[in-house]
Amino acid sequence: MAEQGQGDSHLAHVALTSFIGTTIEWYDFILFGVAAATVFDKLFFPALSPTAGALASFATFGVAFVARPFGAALFGHFGDRIGRKPIFILALLIMCVGTLGIGLLPTYAAIGLWAPALLLATRLMQGVAVGGEWGGAVLMVVEHAPPSKRGFYGAWPQAGASLALALANGAFYLVGLLPEEQFLSWGWRIPFLASIVLFFVGLYARRHVLESPAFRDVRESGRRSAVPLVQLLRTQKKGLIIGSASLGAANITFYVATVFILSYGPKTVGISQNAVLAAIVVAALVAVPLNLLGAAISDRLGRRRLIIGGAIFTAVIAFPFFWLFDTGNPFLVGVALVLMVAVSSAVTYAPLSSFIAELFDPRVRYTGAALSYHLAGTVLAGPAPFIAAALYSKAGSPWAIAVYIMAGCVITVVALLPVWQKSERLADVDQSARR
């Protein structure tokens, strides 16, 4: 009984640590997206037209998603060879350096074209770091948790991403209260520089976490893969494809509703930027407990069923989301964002951490989970704000963006259809969730 109590206590500590660490990593990563949609076009691309400046700003946001798979492969290799814990901490350090660098950058007015070039470099650093962090955070929890509770505990890092969304938007809401001249001069830097405080909080939380049991078993049995990426591509390509495609609904929806919308709201609908930021903060805070609830339900109903149901729900509300948002009424805008950011994520995003982790053998699990997640980021998430802006510019209406969201949902549903369940490991996901 005492050992059981200690095990439960450590599992709770691991879950909390992953929650804190992921909150910090995603705060840094999401912060760039908020700035890209609100201020970077003015500071780093002032020579371009407003539309071209917005597209350039969204493009710098998207380049991190190109770097993420490289970070996933690099950190995944050492995570499967050395262990989850040390890589977990290293990714946090690299992210902090990149975020501080952004906060210290001179703008276009000071150094010309070097400013967007340096912005691009620091954003790439963020992409590499987050490419390694998510896999470590998820596996530390999922591999400590009993099979019957993997969904619930695996959702703690996912819930951390929702809290990060609230913190990043809340930070920009507060500095946005400054007079515009002060905000553009130095106020926008404060949220980036504040990440140093969060880094030390995360480092302290992660110091006492034990290595995951699954990796210890692999290490002690001498079964570690010499080159995890090669083994993954040779033996578990199906899991990699299914894991990436399962993120279609969650990724496209999230980045349209939290990044593109920050530009779309003020410029097109006429609602104030701070009103949109406040609505996203509320939706993100609602998403934190809903993510945990949704993942707990997946432990009973199965991951695949819940994610498919969430994708269908998201497709159904794609048009109503814009109908509500386009009213410009702050309350209805808030309702739209709660539906799309909180409710949708609870059923499409929350179970994905355990679902993806369960696709792979422990010897290549860090590499497989991280690559699945971040390849989807490169193909589906990173381009989403840019594509949404281009679609609106072409169509002159949000209907094309709603269709784009629905297309992401179709990708998820097709990826998780029973026809693909011939993979024994994937077929066991629903069964293991109910044990």
Side-chain angles (χ1 to χ4, degrees), residues 77-101:
H77 175 85
F78 291 105
D80 284 324
R81 291 287 303 160
I82 298 172
R84 316 320 192 196
K85 179 181 175 179
I87 303 306
F88 198 36
I89 293 173
L90 178 61
L92 185 67
L93 174 62
I94 295 174
M95 176 63 85
C96 178
V97 172
T99 305
L100 285 176

Side-chain angles (χ1 to χ4, degrees), residues 164-392:
L165 177 64
L167 292 175
N169 282 271
F172 258 81
Y173 175 88
L174 292 176
V175 296
L177 298 175
L178 291 167
E180 184 176 10
E181 183 179 348
Q182 294 179 27
F183 172 67
L184 293 176
S185 175
W186 54 267
W188 69 271
R189 300 178 185 275
I190 294 174
F192 289 96
L193 299 178
S195 68
I196 187 66
V197 177
L198 298 177
F199 165 74
F200 284 110
V201 172
L203 185 62
Y204 178 80
R206 291 183 174 187
R207 284 174 56 224
H208 303 294
V209 174
L210 300 177
E211 185 57 82
S212 84
F215 178 77
R216 291 202 305 268
D217 289 345
V218 169
R219 181 177 58 197
E220 291 167 7
S221 66
R223 294 186 301 116
R224 279 180 289 184
S225 173
V227 186
L229 179 60
V230 172
Q231 183 175 346
L232 173 73
L233 295 177
R234 188 173 63 240
T235 63
Q236 297 182 47
K237 289 191 294 289
K238 181 183 285 187
L240 188 64
I241 295 168
I242 293 173
S244 295
S246 67
L247 283 148
N251 273 0
I252 292 174
T253 299
F254 181 84
Y255 286 101
V256 168
T258 62
V259 178
F260 166 75
I261 218 71
L262 283 170
S263 175
Y264 175 81
K267 293 179 180 177
T268 304
V269 179
I271 186 171
S272 75
Q273 198 157 272
N274 270 3
V276 180
L277 287 168
I280 292 176
V281 169
V282 171
L285 291 175
V286 172
V288 173
L290 286 187
N291 271 272
L292 299 177
L293 175 62
I297 292 172
S298 80
D299 283 324
R300 293 184 173 273
L301 299 183
R303 327 276 187 238
R304 184 177 60 84
R305 293 182 183 90
L306 193 67
I307 297 167
I308 288 176
I312 293 171
F313 169 80
T314 303
V316 167
I317 66 169
F319 277 95
F321 169 75
F322 283 103
W323 297 339
L324 290 168
F325 198 96
D326 284 354
T327 65
N329 180 291
F331 175 76
L332 294 179
V333 166
V335 170
L337 285 167
V338 166
L339 287 172
M340 196 61 93
V341 174
V343 180
S344 175
S345 79
V347 283
T348 58
Y349 183 65
L352 280 168
S353 55
S354 49
F355 175 81
I356 292 174
E358 289 170 327
L359 292 175
F360 301 101
D361 183 275
R363 290 175 295 173
V364 296
R365 184 173 287 154
Y366 201 132
T367 303
L371 263 183
S372 293
Y373 189 84
H374 295 297
L375 283 172
T378 300
V379 176
L380 300 169
F386 182 91
I387 291 174
L391 286 173
Y392 185 83

